[in-house]
Amino acid sequence: MSTERLGEALQRLREVAEIGEQAQNVELPGRFSTLVDVVAGPEKFKPDGEEAIPLDRAEELVDLPLEVLQETLKKTGRDSRRAAALLGLAAWWPGDDPEEAWRDDHQRRREELTAIRGIGHELVDRILLVVLEVPTMPLSRSALRVGCRHGWSGLESEYDEWQHLFGHSSEVSGIPLRQIDLLINWIGQSRCGPRPKCEGCPLEPLLPDGGPYEPE
Ligand code: SF4
């Protein structure tokens, strides 16, 4: 039941959301450049009048001093707070288009990512999903807020229950998990923050009778 209601919500969001290029599947899995985009955000601008340090090759990035990487990220409009995590990821990355056996050992990859400093559970799942194409949903604050407020699940639910909810909704609706991740974060950022702005929200017709449940 919750799965169906979430599926309906996702269909509505897909009709109205503006989630740009990412939603049209331009992200290339198996590339270090995609990993950088996922972790530090996409490049927003090129640094003026100087030779940019390329961020698309792990082997060139791995020996950069932390401060240099922070500065490079800042100059390209990316999140410089992710510099330490990127250095750890550059050391972890086996090279573009990794072998299938390496990609398919999901449990081992998850453990390795979790052990890298500066990478939380949500980001681990997003890297697995986008870069290694593992069917897993990043449980962002937005995903938990929207799910709880609509009564599709509760904060007391376990990680596996949330994964089941989103995974099954993806199967039922035919919407890939990466697109679900983008749609849910889009509604979270535009409407469903710490104080929900339900009036006029595309998901308002799907609220429980008494209005949103409060998860926090
Ligand atoms: S703002 Fe309200 S209607 Fe919109 S997703 Fe959040 S709880 Fe639902």
Side-chain angles (χ1 to χ4, degrees):
M1 193 62 178
S2 294
T3 303
E4 283 155 23
R5 278 182 279 147
L6 174 54
E8 189 184 341
L10 293 169
Q11 296 287 6
R12 279 173 183 257
L13 289 179
R14 194 153 72 160
E15 282 162 23
V16 296
E18 296 149 15
I19 50 179
E21 290 186 327
Q22 286 170 305
Q24 292 156 31
N25 297 327
V26 295
E27 294 165 321
L28 293 172
R31 302 284 172 86
F32 187 72
S33 56
T34 302
L35 181 52
V36 174
D37 288 351
V38 167
V39 174
E43 182 178 80
K44 295 203 180 98
F45 36 79
K46 303 242 177 251
D48 273 347
E50 48 188 303
E51 204 173 314
I53 296 171
L55 296 179
D56 57 351
R57 287 195 295 275
E59 61 276 16
E60 291 192 21
L61 195 142
V62 72
D63 291 326
L64 280 182
L66 180 66
E67 304 71 39
V68 174
L69 181 54
Q70 283 171 330
E71 199 52 29
T72 304
L73 291 171
K74 208 185 292 176
K75 282 180 183 165
T76 52
R78 301 180 194 255
D79 187 349
S80 61
R81 293 167 301 177
R82 298 290 199 184
L86 275 180
L87 289 177
L89 286 164
W92 167 77
W93 187 243
D96 279 4
D97 300 320
E99 287 179 9
E100 228 172 283
W102 186 87
R103 288 169 73 133
D104 288 350
D105 193 347
H106 301 165
Q107 190 53 37
R108 179 73 67 85
R109 302 291 83 83
R110 179 182 291 281
E111 286 164 13
E112 292 166 355
L113 286 167
T114 304
I116 295 174
R117 190 163 70 98
I119 303 192
H121 292 292
E122 178 191 341
L123 188 53
V124 167
D125 277 319
R126 192 163 289 116
I127 292 169
L128 289 171
L129 174 65
V130 181
V131 184
L132 300 186
E133 299 181 284
V134 178
T136 185
M137 174 73 184
L139 297 179
S140 62
R141 200 167 284 190
S142 295
L144 301 182
R145 274 188 183 132
V146 176
C148 288
R149 284 175 176 155
H150 284 261
W152 299 325
S153 195
L155 275 187
E156 71 288 353
S157 298
E158 301 284 341
Y159 173 88
D160 286 346
E161 294 174 62
W162 282 98
Q163 287 298 338
H164 178 77
L165 173 70
F166 283 106
H168 198 215
S169 297
S170 171
E171 284 168 25
V172 168
S173 65
I175 302 176
L177 277 168
R178 175 53 172 155
Q179 211 172 68
I180 294 177
D181 179 36
L182 293 167
L183 290 169
I184 290 285
N185 287 329
W186 176 77
I187 199 67
Q189 280 159 21
S190 58
R191 288 280 181 173
C192 208
R195 286 167 190 243
K197 297 179 214 155
C198 298
E199 207 179 317
C201 176
L203 301 191
E204 189 183 8
L206 303 179
L207 280 170
D209 286 345
Y213 299 126
E214 197 40 64
E216 291 151 299

